[in-house]
């Protein structure tokens, strides 16, 4: 249980650092480039949690994270995500482009 808790904290810290670190651009293979205007709402989505100790992925909402009103919805954007077994879901978090 302590390993899972430590892994969840590490995952959240890594996600927070990735979202908050300044960068000009980055590219994820297989993801279409999208441009946002200042102040635009950016949807934050989550995938499964994985472990360095096992190859089993865990559903993000299996753990006590905040869920959107009405529950999390599947948010896969393309066929590749479905074929790869991704479990992309919506979150209640709101991000805005270039605002504090």
């Amino acid at each position: 249980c302590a390993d899972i808790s430590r892994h969840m904290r590490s995952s959240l810290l890594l996600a927070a650092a990735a979202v908050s670190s300044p960068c000009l651009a980055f590219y994820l293979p297989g993801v279409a480039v999208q441009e946002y205007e200042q102040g635009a709402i950016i949807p934050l989505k989550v995938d499964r949690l994985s472990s360095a100790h096992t190859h089993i992925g865990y559903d993000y909402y299996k753990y006590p994270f905040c869920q959107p009103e009405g529950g999390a919805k599947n948010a896969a954007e393309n066929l590749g995500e479905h074929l790869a077994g991704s479990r992309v879901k919506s979150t209640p978090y709101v991000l805005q482009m270039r605002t504090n």
Side-chain angles (χ1 to χ4, degrees), residues 19-87:
V19 170
S20 65
S21 62
C23 64
L24 296 176
F26 65 91
Y27 174 71
L28 296 174
V31 177
V33 175
Q34 188 166 356
E35 294 184 16
Y36 294 97
E37 298 291 325
Q38 183 170 347
I41 301 294
I42 302 170
L44 179 64
K45 301 174 186 175
V46 294
D47 200 350
R48 63 181 175 235
L49 296 172
S50 58
S51 169
H53 301 288
T54 67
H55 294 288
I56 299 171
Y58 298 96
D59 184 47
Y60 180 83
Y61 287 114
K62 176 181 179 188
Y63 299 98
F65 294 115
C66 297
Q67 292 194 25
E69 286 186 28
K73 309 257 185 304
N74 288 332
E77 294 185 348
N78 59 50
L79 180 60
E81 289 177 357
H82 288 287
L83 295 175
S86 292
R87 301 175 192 154

Side-chain angles (χ1 to χ4, degrees), residues 9 83 87-88 94 97:
R9 280 192 305 247
L83 295 175
R87 301 175 192 154
V88 180
V94 177
M97 181 57 106

